[in-house]
């Protein structure tokens, strides 16, 4: 998530405990943390062989109705907090920073230094592993078999910008794990150099972490929802939350005594501990800082981001040379609903592209793939070049695909039954798919449409490609 952007775009947050940073200070400093060595951005590998181009003009008819082009059944799925850069430990469920504004006006020190573009990519070889681990840790009965897409908000946002003919350049990995399309950004330790502005300083002064989470450098929130007949799991960086809107939460994360971690060698696990609490989506806030010289915030740019993340509250803070006197709190849920209705045709195309992307990645599932775009060009599905990357480690791939069982005695092993039997008509006793709704009562069941998963080599199945 873009963290309190000012006149520049960056990620990460500087939390300097109120001290003014100096030019050349170490990047991404935490509260009471020691200076960290500067990280150089690794070289970007060349793009590989083109597999297929996707444009808005060559999409097959996926019969996306107007009602399908809406986000429904939004639920908290998981969350975790990231701490010191020297540690890859995650805190589950963690907790967002609490909105605690000081008295206005407030003169803040400027931001200096280099900032990480992607906290997860910098810490983990597999950036979506902490998302997957936290999903299982917070919900012992979590069933990934009915999830169609897992990715960060940035990757889906890239595709949404393409759909809306907004210029953007990006590339990220795409891979089928079981029945699920994983979208994995590959920024690794990429940094944005020489950041200027007041966004990080604002977060440091206007939000606060609980005592046990003082060293939090990033809070990651995972939600699930239905869109276009697809079940999506979306991760994004969370700026903070309103404590006075900390209402009921269906998930049991806040009451969980122990994390539901699998009985497996520690080499398969990211180090984790339980602390914090899950908070409801209604309390989540997005924070934007802006110089008064640049005028008011353009909501046409912000609403697609808020809609995709389903963030209902926006705080816009205007400053003059770091002096903040105008901080506005705005409930934007109705605005995102209005934006959704006004962009119905674009969102129908967005849903079609997501469905077609699943088809194409299935079709070329024997290859390691990435999705690319340059400027106003088409989507390009390309073969990865150089060292090939995996969406998840082998253990978590098998667990997600249902190919590992967990024995009560602590022994893990391959499942004795087909992991995809609930999706395979040939293996279902009734002859129909037996999908259950992961979010409880989803009207947009993906059984209502048939995709041509031509990678499947089990002719009576025609769906998953893993049952032969």
């Amino acid at each position: 998530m873009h963290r309190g952007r000012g006149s520049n775009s960056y990620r990460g947050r500087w939390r300097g405990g109120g001290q003014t940073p100096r030019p050349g200070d170490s990047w991404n400093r935490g509260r009471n943390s020691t200076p960290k060595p500067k990280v150089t951005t690794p070289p970007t590998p060349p793009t590989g062989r083109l597999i297929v181009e996707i444009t808005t003009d060559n999409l097959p008819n996926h019969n996306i109705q107007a009602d399908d082009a809406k986000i429904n059944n939004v639920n908290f799925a998981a969350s975790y907090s990231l701490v010191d850069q020297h540690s890859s430990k995650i805190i589950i469920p963690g907790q967002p920073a609490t909105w605690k504004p000081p008295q206005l006006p407030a003169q803040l020190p400027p931001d200096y230094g280099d900032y990480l573009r992607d906290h997860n990519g910098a810490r983990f070889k597999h950036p979506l592993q902490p998302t997957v681990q936290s999903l299982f840790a917070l919900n012992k009965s979590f069933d990934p078999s009915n999830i169609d897409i897992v990715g960060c908000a940035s990757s889906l946002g890239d595709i949404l910008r393409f759909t809306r003919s907004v210029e953007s350049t990006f590339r990220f990995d795409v891979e089928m794990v079981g029945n699920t399309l994983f979208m994995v950004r590959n920024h690794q330790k990429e940094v944005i150099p020489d950041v200027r502005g007041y966004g990080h300083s604002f977060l440091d002064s206007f939000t606060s972490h609980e005592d046990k989470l003082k060293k939090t450098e990033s809070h990651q929130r995972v939600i699930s929802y239905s869109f276009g007949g697809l079940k999506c799991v979306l991760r994004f960086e969370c700026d903070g939350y309103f404590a006075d809107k900390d209402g009921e939460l269906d998930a049991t994360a806040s009451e969980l005594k122990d994390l539901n971690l699998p009985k497996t060698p520690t080499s398969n696990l990211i180090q984790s501990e339980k602390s914090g609490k899950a908070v409801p989506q209604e309390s989540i806030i997005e924070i934007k800082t802006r110089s008064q010289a640049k005028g008011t915030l353009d909501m046409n740019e912000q609403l697609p981001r808020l809609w995709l993340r389903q963030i209902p509250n926006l705080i816009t803070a205007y400053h003059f040379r770091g002096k903040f006197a105008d901080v506005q709190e705005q409930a934007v849920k109705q605005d995102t609903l209005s934006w959704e209705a006004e962009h119905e045709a674009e969102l129908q195309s967005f849903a079609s592209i997501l469905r077609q992307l699943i088809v194409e990645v299935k079709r070329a599932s024997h290859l390691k793939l990435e999705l690319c775009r340059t400027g106003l060009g088409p989507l390009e599905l390309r073969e990865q070049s150089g060292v090939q990357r995996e969406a998840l480690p082998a253990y978590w791939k098998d667990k997600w695909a249902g190919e590992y069982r967990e024995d009560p005695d602590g022994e893990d092993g391959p499942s004795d039954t087909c992991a995809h039997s609930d999706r395979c008509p040939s293996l279902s006793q009734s002859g129909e798919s037996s999908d259950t709704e992961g979010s409880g009562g989803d009207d947009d069941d993906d059984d209502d449409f048939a995709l041509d998963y031509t990678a499947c080599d089990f002719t009576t199945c025609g769906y998953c490609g893993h049952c032969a």
Side-chain angles (χ1 to χ4, degrees):
M1 188 175 190
H2 292 106
R3 309 285 292 173
R5 292 190 296 184
S7 58
N8 40 326
S9 299
Y10 46 80
R11 291 192 178 190
R13 73 191 303 168
W14 173 80
R15 287 202 170 263
Q19 298 178 354
T20 303
R22 302 181 305 275
D25 278 357
S26 297
W27 54 267
N28 204 27
R29 301 176 68 172
R31 289 185 187 274
N32 304 316
S33 65
T34 57
K36 302 173 179 64
K38 211 167 188 178
V39 176
T40 57
T41 299
T44 301
T47 54
R49 179 171 61 95
L50 178 65
I51 304 302
V52 68
E53 283 189 355
I54 300 176
T55 71
T56 54
D57 297 327
N58 68 359
L59 284 174
N61 181 14
H62 289 296
N63 195 30
I64 305 294
Q65 303 300 314
D67 288 343
D68 294 329
K70 297 178 180 178
I71 289 178
N72 295 298
N73 302 314
V74 181
N75 287 286
F76 167 84
S79 61
Y80 59 94
S81 293
L82 299 169
V83 289
D84 191 338
Q85 282 292 323
H86 292 296
S87 171
S88 59
K89 180 176 69 175
I90 59 177
I91 300 174
I92 304 174
Q95 191 171 333
T98 306
W99 174 247
K100 290 185 177 180
Q103 184 175 355
L104 297 177
Q107 180 68 52
L108 303 184
D111 299 330
Y112 288 110
D114 302 338
Y115 291 82
L116 289 172
R117 188 177 294 276
D118 180 1
H119 279 287
N120 291 279
R123 286 173 170 84
F124 309 106
K125 180 180 179 181
H126 304 94
L128 283 177
Q129 183 181 347
T131 296
V132 170
Q133 185 169 316
S134 62
L135 283 166
F136 282 101
L138 292 173
N139 186 351
K140 189 174 183 179
S141 61
F142 174 70
D143 178 13
S145 65
N146 65 351
I147 305 299
D148 295 290
I149 291 175
V150 172
C152 66
S154 294
S155 57
L156 269 80
D158 286 335
I159 299 175
L160 179 58
R161 279 187 286 274
F162 163 75
T163 306
R164 302 182 60 228
S165 299
V166 176
E167 184 175 359
S168 62
T169 298
F170 60 84
R171 61 190 294 190
F172 56 83
D173 300 340
V174 287
E175 182 179 342
M176 296 301 302
V177 180
N179 295 317
T180 308
L181 175 65
F182 275 68
M183 301 179 179
V184 188
R185 298 189 75 79
N186 47 28
H187 287 307
Q188 299 175 330
K189 293 183 182 295
E190 184 177 341
V191 298
I192 302 175
D194 197 28
V195 168
R196 294 290 187 270
Y198 294 88
H200 296 75
S201 182
F202 183 88
L203 288 170
D204 191 55
S205 299
F206 280 71
T207 67
S208 175
H209 282 289
E210 300 296 324
D211 289 342
K212 292 183 178 180
L213 295 162
K214 285 291 185 184
K215 293 185 177 181
T216 297
E217 291 191 351
S218 175
H219 181 71
Q220 306 283 314
R221 185 171 181 84
V222 186
I223 60 174
S224 65
Y225 53 66
S226 300
F227 173 73
L230 301 170
K231 317 302 191 297
C232 303
V233 169
L234 186 83
R235 186 203 72 210
F236 61 91
E237 191 174 29
C238 178
D239 284 340
Y241 84 112
F242 289 134
D244 58 357
K245 294 185 179 181
D246 191 6
E248 295 294 324
L249 184 68
D250 293 335
T252 59
S254 298
E255 303 172 358
L256 194 68
K257 293 182 179 179
D258 296 298
L259 299 177
N260 295 311
L261 296 176
K263 298 179 177 65
T264 182
T266 55
S267 60
N268 292 323
L269 297 173
I270 295 171
Q271 182 186 1
S272 60
E273 67 177 60
K274 182 188 181 297
S275 187
K277 65 177 181 179
V279 300
Q281 191 71 10
E282 291 74 18
S283 68
I284 298 301
I285 58 177
E286 171 93 339
I287 298 174
K288 297 294 178 186
T289 61
R290 189 171 178 86
S291 169
Q292 290 178 353
K294 291 184 174 294
T296 58
L297 194 69
D298 185 357
M299 291 303 292
N300 290 325
E301 294 181 3
Q302 302 306 319
L303 286 174
R305 297 184 70 257
L306 296 167
W307 172 81
L308 194 63
R309 294 160 176 79
Q310 290 293 288
I311 297 176
N313 306 292
L314 175 65
I315 292 174
T316 308
Y318 296 93
H319 70 89
F320 178 73
R321 296 182 179 178
K323 185 175 183 178
F324 288 84
D326 182 10
V327 178
Q328 303 174 8
E329 300 178 13
Q330 181 181 358
V332 293
K333 185 174 183 178
Q334 188 56 50
D335 296 292
T336 58
L337 289 173
S338 297
W339 181 89
E340 182 181 65
E342 292 166 2
H343 293 80
E344 178 183 291
E346 291 177 349
L347 296 180
Q348 285 177 290
S349 293
F350 181 41
S352 289
I353 289 171
L354 293 177
R355 289 192 183 186
Q356 188 61 25
L357 189 58
I358 293 174
V359 172
E360 299 295 350
V361 177
K362 275 276 190 179
R363 182 174 289 135
S365 60
H366 58 293
L367 302 172
K368 292 299 179 185
L369 304 169
E370 63 178 3
L371 189 68
C372 311
R373 186 195 184 205
T374 302
L376 290 170
L379 291 180
E380 298 178 342
L381 191 63
R382 290 183 173 271
E383 190 172 0
Q384 291 182 17
S385 63
V387 178
Q388 295 187 337
R389 300 170 295 273
E390 303 283 344
L392 293 172
Y395 168 81
W396 287 104
K397 276 190 178 183
D398 289 343
K399 186 170 179 62
W400 187 275
E403 294 170 359
Y404 256 78
R405 59 175 172 80
E406 289 180 15
D407 191 280
D409 296 328
E411 296 293 331
D412 292 345
S415 174
D416 294 329
T417 60
C418 173
H420 314 279
S421 58
D422 63 335
R423 289 230 176 189
C424 296
S426 60
L427 300 180
S428 171
Q429 291 181 351
S430 65
E432 297 178 355
S433 173
S434 56
D435 270 357
T436 57
E437 302 301 337
S439 56
D442 179 5
D443 293 331
D444 296 322
D445 196 311
D446 58 1
D447 289 335
D448 293 338
F449 65 91
L451 298 182
D452 179 19
Y453 290 107
T454 55
C456 188
D457 55 3
F458 188 51
T459 56
T460 59
C461 169
Y463 189 85
C464 72
H466 296 275
C467 300

